[in-house]
Amino acid sequence: GNRATQLNTMMAASIAVVLLLTLQLLHPTTSFSTITMTSSPSPPLALNLKCKVKPTHRTKFLTAIQANQQSTRLNEPNNLQFVIGQDTEEENTFYFHEEFVNCEAFQEHMQTEHFKVYNAFVDDEEPFEEPPVICLYNLREESDDVVTKKRGVYKESFGLNVNLYPKASVRDDFLKVISDNKQGTDTVEELALQYTYGESTTIDGISEGSANTFHFHEQYKGKDHGKEGFDVHASMPHFAAWEEFVQTDPFEKDPEVFFFKIIED
């Protein structure tokens, strides 16, 4: 009995620590208003988030997050994108992708009234099965045109968020094959809407980045809620070069790939 109690206490403590760290982003405190930015202006910032919602809270959650999304798009000129997607297999697993012109714009986003309303919903309703997983990264290889105006909003599109962990010893080779893949996707594929990636970044007071950790967001259009576009992408020579690279055992740990359907009214 004592052993079981000790284990439960340890587990509760561990969960509390993880919850505190991962939900700092979702629950801003007054400390966020005193964050010291180390560079000005900072580069464009992106966020990928994965969350599992309690089935009983699905409708309320979607209402709350879509209200936050629409207000962010309409009222924040420095927000470039806010995408919500539903997992292709688990209906109550959702993914976000957000982009801001810089970290300062993201910081301002967390102080808006609509973000605070969403935060209050999360605090009051506790809609998640487990703490959301959040990835912050600076965009790479995007043109000035892309990172200075809002991206298009596409209905019936297919999305994926990806986490990759290349070994430090193959970093340069990894970046070369990724750059080629992005260039091919952006310039050749008519059904490709977006190929965004960047390296995990540190934001003082919010997030501790990890070297050689890269995050991606991609979108495709076409039949089957955009899945056609991804299938075309997977048949391209630049993707074949990527798959060849993957066969060389280049990762510190296994890639994480999450497929979803973009939700747009």
Side-chain angles (χ1 to χ4, degrees), residues 185-231:
T185 303
D186 288 346
T187 60
V188 176
E189 298 181 34
E190 294 183 357
L191 297 180
L193 298 171
Q194 183 175 352
Y195 186 110
T196 295
Y197 84 102
E199 188 167 8
S200 173
T201 189
T202 294
I203 301 177
D204 294 343
I206 301 179
S207 173
E208 185 71 26
S210 300
N212 297 313
T213 295
F214 293 83
H215 307 294
F216 297 71
H217 173 75
E218 303 172 36
Q219 283 191 52
Y220 300 88
K221 64 181 180 178
K223 299 175 182 177
D224 192 19
H225 208 111
K227 180 65 163 51
E228 177 190 15
F230 176 75
D231 291 340

Side-chain angles (χ1 to χ4, degrees), residues 50-54 90 92-94 127-132:
K50 176 184 179 182
C51 61
K52 294 185 177 182
V53 176
K54 299 172 184 176
E90 300 178 9
N92 292 314
T93 296
F94 298 91
F128 301 121
E129 292 275 8
E130 57 192 49

